[in-house]
Amino acid sequence: MDEQIDKLDLRLLQELQKDGRLTNNELGDRIALSPSQCSRRRTRLEAEGYIRSYRAYLDREKLGLDMLVVISVTLATHNRDNAQRFSQLINGLPEVLEAYALTGEMDYHLKVATRGLADLSKFVNDVLLPHESVQHVKTSIVLDTLKTFEGFPVRMPGSSHGDSAR
C-alpha cells in the first residue's frame, strides 16, 4: 500500500466499493469531506490504480446462468508453453468467471457459470478435455453460495483484523 494513502482515502474507497455510482456530494456526506476534496481524492486514487474500474454487477440467475461450478484442471505437461496455451484458452471463454493458478495437486481452479447441466457437459467434454494442454478435469457443482465477493477489506497497514478505516 502507498505511504501517501490515509484514512480518508480508505473510507472513500470503502464507500465506492459499496456503491461506485456515488456522486462526490453523496460521498462527501458519507465521509465528512467537501465534494471538491472527494473529487480530487477520487481522481488521484483512480490515477494511482487503487480504483481500477466501475461496473454493474449483474444477477447471474436472472441471466439464465443457473449453474455455478468450480472446475479443477491438471495440465498435461508442466512447461511455460503449455501454461500459455491453457491461459489463452481460458481467457477466450466467457463461461469462465475467474481462474486461478494454484500450488498443490491441481494446477488451476476455474469458477464457471453455465445455463445448466447440458451446457456444463458440453463445456467440459467439447472445450476443456479435448484441449492439448489439459490432462485431467474435476467438476464440483456449487449447491449453495454462503458468501460472494463484496469488496476487499480496506484498512490501514498494521491494523488488526476487525479494524476498518473508520
Side-chain angles (χ1 to χ4, degrees), residues 41-100:
R41 285 175 181 264
R42 183 192 306 223
T43 300
R44 179 178 54 80
L45 291 167
E46 289 168 349
E48 291 177 359
Y50 286 95
I51 300 171
R52 291 177 33 189
S53 69
Y54 298 90
R55 64 183 63 189
Y57 285 96
L58 308 180
D59 187 301
R60 174 180 55 81
E61 291 173 333
K62 286 189 181 208
L63 293 170
L65 299 167
D66 297 323
M67 186 164 284
L68 189 61
V69 184
V70 176
I71 300 177
S72 301
V73 177
T74 303
L75 295 184
T77 59
H78 292 87
N79 61 51
R80 185 181 324 187
D81 290 341
N82 205 38
Q84 286 176 343
R85 281 192 294 274
F86 183 73
S87 178
Q88 288 171 349
L89 168 70
I90 294 308
N91 280 296
L93 299 172
E95 300 91 344
V96 178
L97 307 178
E98 298 175 27
Y100 301 97

Side-chain angles (χ1 to χ4, degrees), residues 7-9 11-12 15 22-39 41 166:
K7 284 188 177 188
L8 287 172
D9 290 332
R11 287 180 55 205
L12 185 145
E15 293 301 326
L22 289 174
T23 65
N24 289 319
N25 286 335
E26 294 166 330
L27 195 53
D29 288 344
R30 292 186 184 192
I31 66 171
L33 276 181
S34 72
S36 62
Q37 287 176 323
C38 285
S39 177
R41 285 175 181 264
R166 291 186 185 234

Side-chain angles (χ1 to χ4, degrees), residues 146-163:
L146 304 178
K147 182 178 180 180
T148 59
F149 179 75
E150 297 203 4
F152 294 106
V154 179
R155 50 179 84 94
M156 292 298 290
S159 64
S160 65
H161 172 72
D163 295 344

